Amino acid sequence: MDQLELLRQGFEAALTPGNLLWALLGVTIGTAVGVLPGIGPALTVALLLPITFQLEPASALILFAGIYYGGMYGGSTTSILLNTPGESSSIVSAIEGNKMAKAGRGAAALATAAVGSFVAGTIGTIALTFVAPAVAQFAIQLGPPEYVALMVIAFVTVSALLGPNMIKGAASLLIGLTLGLVGIDAQSGQARLTFGSSGLFDGIDVVLVVVGLFAISEALGHILARTGQTTVTPVKGRALLTKEEFRRSWPAWLRGTALGFPIGSLPAGGAEIPTFLSYAAEKRLSKHKDQFGHGAIEGVAGPEAANNAAAAGVMVPLLTIGLPTSATAAVMLTAFQSYGLQPGPALFAESGDLVWALIASLYIGNVMLLVLNLPLVKVWAKMLTIPAWAIYSSVVVFACLGAYSAGGSITDLYLLAAIGGLGLLLRLADIPVAPAVVGLILGPLLEQQLRRALILSEGDPAILISSPFTIGLWLVIALVLAVPGVMALGRRRRRALALSNAE
Amino acid sequence: MAEPTSMRSGHVPPGLDTTEMRSMSDRRTSPPSPVAQRAGKHPLVTSGAATMVVGVLLVATSAIVFGDAIALRPSSEPLGPAAFPLIIAVLLALVGIALVVSNRRSALVLARNITREGAPQLARVLILLGSIVVYALVLPIAGFTVTSALLFTVAARLLGSTHRWRLPLYGIVISGLITLLFDRLIGLALPAGPWGF
């Protein structure tokens, strides 16, 4: 077992007292920021990215892994207690979780979410340990035509699955693709869409876009809706599971994990689909069908596990192909690049030690979260009593800090204001913002691979369908576009959301 | 809900059989966005009108991208620097038109029932966006700590905080902590004012 030896070395690197301290710091501030309402993992990671800029790569990655898992955990705490899911993949666990919280069983909901996240995260990370190197091995053979097809799959699925309909998903994706055009074209050296401003030559930073679309627009949304004064009294109690609750939870954790990791690791995935499938499966299999919609614990345990397993799964295409399939993964890709790492098939060969240290710190972060959070649930829940105006005016300051330090120029702050305004418009229009983030980061890569493919074939577009693998991928794309079943999943999500909002 | 049959004749745009906001809000089945839900009395109309504005923006962006792309010099590659932007420009136009066409009814309804109900909130949104622009201008002169404390104060007021003199103090504490953590501890060089922070 080659991987085990490499993983052992990874643990050796991650288990130094200094690095453990970084991991602890990461999960703590990740949870603290992630727990704030309306701030999902993608935004948590983007807001806290500047902290990691000045560290050496190994420590930065470890701190970063902690922030990532902490942000995920904090996000699910808030969606259960407040029913304000910070990102679409935690919508489902909010449905039953919030019902449980309202019925005074919030502590049990948080406990099953925490333990479920731990179980799923651990199994997911183990699967990642074995799957990722194999996929990387396979991905080395992929050429530009395969990359083009893979990225188009990611585009089509991301716009089909997020948001109320495909047109709105596509609109968001195209906004991202357009933002991705800005800057100097690497192949020809010509400036595109820069309007002569030298601040735009390097392109628009992903962190800037994430912070604008998620953070500034959230603050603006609160101003528009006059909800800046609201404070919430969260549920109290100890996060413990009774025997009965545990007995009902653990099969759901395992089923959620079994759905989450494989689907998350597809280059099409994201964490949305598995959470819905898991919810549907639990509802069908449960002996307590009547409790669904009124706080069934399986309905929290399954989707929460699926979400976390999918988050580990998303690392597979991210690390091995360099293909982010969620907004969070897109921010992670930028983070890796800022540490001088380029995710892709060569990553394991070239910076193996760092990757294994990262994977090891995912295990460590997972354990730390469980140990920290079961006793600390009350402390995190206290953060929800901070008035909204204080949270969001701090978020605005942090957003400006993040935008300025990611781009390093005043132009970035102007862009931040513009993108924040756009984000509010998209929120009003019910257009999902995650496809824009994915489009922004994948657009330039798609163009590069497309142009490379056509250089290889001397201009013959037939190269795009030249191998059985590419033909298969294009068939999948046609299927996703043609079959309305995939769309129905998106609508089911809307209905579920409507249901939970109605009460 | 009662169908206003008198309005279903040919002189109204197709699909627009009512301009009454409430009946439109009731009729559509899909739920509106949470932000739109909180933003006005008729969230579906607000949401539809916002969608149409996005559509118009996409069409306008399409024209800009197109104009920028055709001005690029062709290169020796089979697929030059203009090809990808042109594809995006076409898609932007198509999706933009689709959004405009499918949501024009909401925009029309909103235009016919225009009220000044949301105007103060909208003004506050614009003030915050303007404050970020001012922040960008003042940042190199006054330094991160002071400018950020001011931005915090403005944002908190706009978000509806009723505190007055306490806000700048909170602002100084928060931006001071950020400066300490990011600038002094982590070594991220934040812009300093004439007083060194």
Side-chain angles (χ1 to χ4, degrees):
Chain A
M1 282 281 115
D2 209 16
Q3 283 99 320
L4 288 182
E5 173 54 24
L6 289 165
L7 185 63
R8 197 191 57 75
Q9 289 172 12
F11 268 107
E12 218 159 81
L15 279 173
T16 64
N19 282 341
L20 277 177
L21 206 65
W22 287 122
L24 183 68
L25 184 72
V27 292
T28 313
I29 52 177
T31 313
V33 174
V35 94
L36 299 174
I39 300 182
L43 182 56
T44 307
V45 169
L47 282 177
L48 294 175
L49 199 55
I51 304 184
T52 66
F53 279 162
Q54 300 294 318
L55 299 175
E56 52 162 313
S59 312
L61 273 178
I62 288 163
L63 180 62
F64 185 77
I67 292 173
Y68 173 51
Y69 269 15
M72 296 260 309
Y73 182 86
S76 64
T77 305
T78 319
S79 42
I80 288 171
L81 292 182
L82 286 186
N83 195 15
T84 52
E87 70 168 18
S88 42
S89 57
S90 47
I91 287 176
V92 187
S93 31
I95 303 174
E96 296 297 324
N98 193 248
K99 292 276 155 48
M100 286 182 71
K102 279 185 181 150
R105 288 157 62 218
L110 288 175
T112 195
V115 183
S117 302
F118 172 74
V119 171
T122 307
I123 298 176
T125 316
I126 292 172
L128 173 70
T129 310
F130 292 97
V131 174
V135 178
Q137 204 85 72
F138 170 74
I140 291 177
Q141 309 159 20
L142 300 179
E146 285 83 8
Y147 274 102
V148 170
L150 281 172
M151 289 183 205
V152 175
I153 284 196
F155 283 169
V156 170
T157 48
V158 162
S159 25
L161 301 178
L162 300 171
N165 62 47
M166 188 146 192
I167 293 282
K168 286 187 172 178
S172 173
L173 180 72
L174 284 168
I175 290 171
L177 289 174
T178 309
L179 291 174
L181 286 177
V182 176
I184 304 270
D185 169 41
Q187 269 104 329
S188 71
Q190 298 187 64
R192 293 192 299 199
L193 292 174
T194 57
F195 311 105
S197 157
S198 60
L200 291 175
F201 283 171
D202 291 335
I204 298 176
D205 199 279
V206 178
V207 172
L208 175 73
V209 174
V210 170
V211 165
L213 287 182
F214 289 88
I216 299 290
S217 73
E218 178 80 17
L220 294 176
H222 280 279
I223 292 179
L224 197 64
R226 278 184 258 195
T227 42
Q229 272 292 350
T230 42
T231 48
V232 271
T233 330
V235 196
K236 294 186 173 67
R238 291 187 57 168
L240 282 175
L241 287 174
T242 63
K243 214 175 242 169
E244 157 78 3
E245 286 164 340
F246 184 79
R247 203 179 46 71
R248 284 174 63 180
S249 291
W250 71 262
W253 295 334
L254 295 183
R255 279 192 292 264
T257 310
L259 283 169
F261 184 81
I263 299 179
S265 56
L266 291 177
E272 288 240 302
I273 298 291
T275 57
F276 283 97
L277 290 179
S278 164
Y279 186 76
E282 293 312 322
K283 199 170 177 179
R284 186 160 304 167
L285 292 170
S286 172
K287 289 191 194 105
H288 310 271
K289 284 196 183 65
D290 52 311
Q291 288 184 15
F292 273 81
H294 308 281
I297 195 161
E298 298 94 332
V300 185
E304 206 36 47
N307 188 11
N308 276 268
V314 165
M315 304 287 281
V316 174
L318 176 66
L319 292 177
T320 60
I321 323 183
L323 196 77
T325 52
S326 69
T328 318
V331 183
M332 293 181 91
L333 184 71
T334 335
F336 285 140
Q337 287 165 342
S338 72
Y339 309 144
L341 299 172
Q342 183 59 53
L347 182 69
F348 280 83
E350 282 166 11
S351 343
D353 47 339
L354 280 177
V355 179
W356 288 108
L358 170 73
I359 294 179
S361 42
L362 291 178
Y363 286 103
I364 297 168
N366 231 332
V367 177
M368 277 187 179
L369 274 176
L370 187 73
V371 173
L372 264 183
N373 285 322
L374 285 181
L376 282 185
V377 138
K378 268 191 195 167
V379 178
W380 301 136
K382 261 232 170 71
M383 301 214 44
L384 298 177
T385 56
I386 302 174
W389 62 261
I391 293 177
Y392 294 107
S393 40
S394 313
V395 163
V396 168
V397 169
F398 256 93
C400 290
L401 170 75
Y404 181 81
S405 52
S409 82
I410 296 301
T411 320
D412 292 295
L413 290 168
Y414 299 140
L415 279 173
L416 181 72
I419 292 171
L422 177 69
L424 178 67
L425 192 62
L426 294 182
R427 273 165 190 262
L428 276 172
D430 202 13
I431 293 175
V433 290
V437 179
V438 173
L440 168 65
I441 196 129
L442 281 187
L445 295 175
L446 172 67
E447 181 185 12
Q448 197 185 10
Q449 297 290 359
L450 189 64
R451 285 162 81 170
R452 250 186 228 162
L454 288 175
I455 289 173
L456 286 176
S457 70
E458 291 167 350
D460 181 8
I463 190 173
L464 295 176
I465 44 168
S466 56
S467 71
F469 187 57
T470 47
I471 295 172
L473 291 175
W474 285 105
L475 282 177
V476 172
I477 294 165
L479 214 68
V480 173
L481 284 174
V483 173
V486 186
M487 302 286 294
L489 257 174
R491 277 196 291 277
R492 188 180 306 163
R493 185 172 75 81
R494 307 300 307 172
R495 237 178 285 139
L497 182 64
L499 230 106
S500 61
N501 270 349
E503 285 149 53
Chain B
M1 66 212 98
E3 291 273 333
T5 42
S6 59
M7 291 189 66
R8 293 176 106 184
S9 44
H11 59 84
V12 279
L16 190 85
D17 49 13
T18 174
T19 50
E20 216 243 308
M21 281 183 144
R22 195 178 312 278
S23 75
M24 260 194 79
S25 297
D26 292 343
R27 194 116 33 99
R28 291 218 286 195
T29 43
S30 77
S33 80
V35 177
Q37 212 153 38
R38 285 178 282 151
K41 274 188 196 148
H42 302 283
L44 274 170
V45 179
T46 316
S47 182
T51 312
M52 199 188 109
V53 175
V54 174
V56 171
L57 283 179
L58 290 191
V59 174
T61 312
S62 162
I64 296 171
V65 173
F66 184 83
D68 188 79
I70 53 170
L72 294 167
R73 292 183 309 279
S75 66
S76 55
E77 301 170 78
L79 210 61
F84 196 65
L86 287 177
I87 299 171
I88 293 178
V90 170
L91 291 173
L92 276 171
L94 289 177
V95 172
I97 291 169
L99 289 181
V100 170
V101 170
S102 57
N103 290 283
R104 67 194 187 291
R105 205 164 70 122
S106 300
L108 204 67
V109 171
L110 196 67
R112 286 190 188 170
N113 295 278
I114 197 90
T115 56
R116 300 183 59 83
E117 171 198 7
Q121 297 314 116
L122 206 60
R124 284 185 190 168
V125 165
L126 294 176
I127 293 173
L128 182 60
L129 291 178
S131 312
I132 296 177
V133 173
V134 174
Y135 178 86
L137 292 170
V138 178
L139 187 64
I141 305 163
F144 180 82
T145 315
V146 173
T147 325
S148 298
L150 287 175
L151 181 65
F152 176 91
T153 311
V154 173
R157 286 297 296 176
L158 291 172
L159 278 157
S161 168
T162 46
H163 296 296
R164 284 172 191 280
W165 56 270
R166 263 200 246 169
L167 288 177
L169 291 183
Y170 288 150
I172 284 287
V173 170
I174 286 174
S175 60
L177 284 175
I178 294 176
T179 310
L180 244 128
L181 178 70
F182 286 83
D183 191 82
R184 298 295 136 91
L185 231 65
I186 296 176
L188 210 68
L190 296 173
W195 33 76
F197 53 82

